[in-house]
Amino acid sequence: MALVPLLAVLVLAGAVALGVGIVRRSPPSREASVAAARRHARSASVAAVALGAAAALATAAREVGNTAPGGLGVTALLVPIVFGIVHTLVLAAGELTWPRPEGEVRRAQLVRRGVLDAAPRWLVRTAAVAAGLAAAVLAGGALLADETGRRVTHGSTAYGNPAWSTASPFPGLFYGRPAAIGLLLLAVVTVGALWVVANRPAVATEDDRIESALRRASAHRVLRAAVAATLVVAGGLLLVGGMAAANVGALPLPGWAGALPGLLTALAGLVVGFVRAPGVPADQPASV
């Protein structure tokens, strides 16, 4: 199945693009604490991309030559999920080791923060859409697949002669169960990482906008990978499901048209994965 090397290439390309975006620096800060926080965030982001990509490529490489029915398809679904989980865990570790306030005089604000308060609104909405789409595709595939969980069958009894067509792969329980478990684990890890972001120590700075921007960037990085992985998985399932349904005549469309919604969904996931996290306010440049 060609999806495994394709997904491996997409993960590698995404890692390179994310790494380039991370290396691009915002204007330097005049405050040592802010500079240290930004260096720490940048290092954690680079490590998250590198380790996530390595884990995803290892997952793909492990199944090279697998001849079990549907085995490569399951691996293709696990590649982006593994990337998202490892990426998120590394980011959470980075937030747990966030630089502590130093110096004789320290200041702190008593602010009650929710898990999603720092996350960009558009990314939260996209996450909700991605989760709903993934749930709908998994539920629909489980209902429409045959007893193998890998095929869809459609036919009629026109003119008294039964005519049935079968196509695979199709996102039934065979593919849907591991995808659902992986996405659920990704969701749990993501919520945990966002909780860590919301509760980590504030950066000691006179400008509260910088502290807010740093925390917003952390939440953005956590959600970005999770949303991208979910959209890629949902898009892949929708792509093969739509193509199979069109091929058996369940959809009045050619195969490529049935695959188009899934392809666009997966591409949307890649776009989300490349969106750079917000930087600190641009009107605060100075040399450290």
Side-chain angles (χ1 to χ4, degrees):
M1 190 174 184
L3 283 177
V4 173
L6 174 60
L7 284 173
V9 171
L10 291 177
V11 168
L12 183 59
V16 172
L18 285 174
V20 171
I22 291 166
V23 171
R24 293 174 56 196
R25 298 185 178 183
S26 299
S29 169
R30 62 172 56 91
E31 297 179 275
S33 60
V34 176
R38 288 167 56 187
R39 283 195 302 269
H40 183 83
R42 189 159 52 242
S43 299
S45 298
V46 172
V49 172
L51 294 176
L57 291 175
T59 300
R62 187 183 61 183
E63 295 298 322
V64 172
N66 186 350
T67 59
L72 291 181
V74 173
T75 301
L77 294 172
L78 294 180
V79 166
I81 295 176
V82 168
F83 174 83
I85 292 174
V86 174
H87 182 276
T88 305
L89 287 174
V90 175
L91 287 180
E95 295 296 319
L96 288 171
T97 56
W98 195 260
R100 301 287 175 175
E102 298 180 356
E104 295 182 359
V105 179
R106 304 181 185 181
R107 58 191 294 268
Q109 291 181 328
L110 297 178
V111 179
R112 183 180 180 86
R113 301 184 184 93
V115 172
L116 296 177
D117 287 352
R121 295 300 96 187
W122 73 268
L123 202 47
V124 174
R125 290 191 290 267
T126 305
V129 171
L133 178 61
V137 172
L138 290 170
L143 290 174
L144 297 176
D146 63 11
E147 66 279 359
T148 68
R150 297 190 294 112
R151 303 178 304 193
V152 61
T153 301
H154 179 75
S156 65
T157 55
Y159 307 106
N161 297 317
W164 300 95
S165 298
T166 300
S168 67
F170 188 79
L173 286 178
F174 182 88
Y175 300 106
R177 185 180 292 110
I181 294 173
L183 290 176
L184 182 60
L185 180 59
L186 176 59
V188 171
V189 171
T190 300
V191 172
L194 289 173
W195 183 89
V196 174
V197 170
N199 291 277
R200 68 163 168 75
V203 177
T205 173
E206 297 294 332
D207 192 338
D208 292 336
R209 296 177 303 160
I210 295 179
E211 154 61 20
S212 298
L214 288 170
R215 200 176 298 273
R216 186 165 59 251
S218 294
H220 177 105
R221 295 186 187 100
V222 170
L223 266 182
R224 175 177 61 188
V227 172
T230 302
L231 285 174
V232 169
V233 171
L237 292 171
L238 192 58
L239 186 153
V240 297
M243 186 179 297
N247 288 337
V248 298
L251 294 175
L253 299 170
W256 65 267
L260 188 59
L263 178 61
L264 293 177
T265 301
L267 289 176
L270 294 178
V271 170
V272 171
F274 294 160
V275 176
R276 188 186 178 196
V280 300
D283 59 348
Q284 297 293 323
S287 298
V288 178

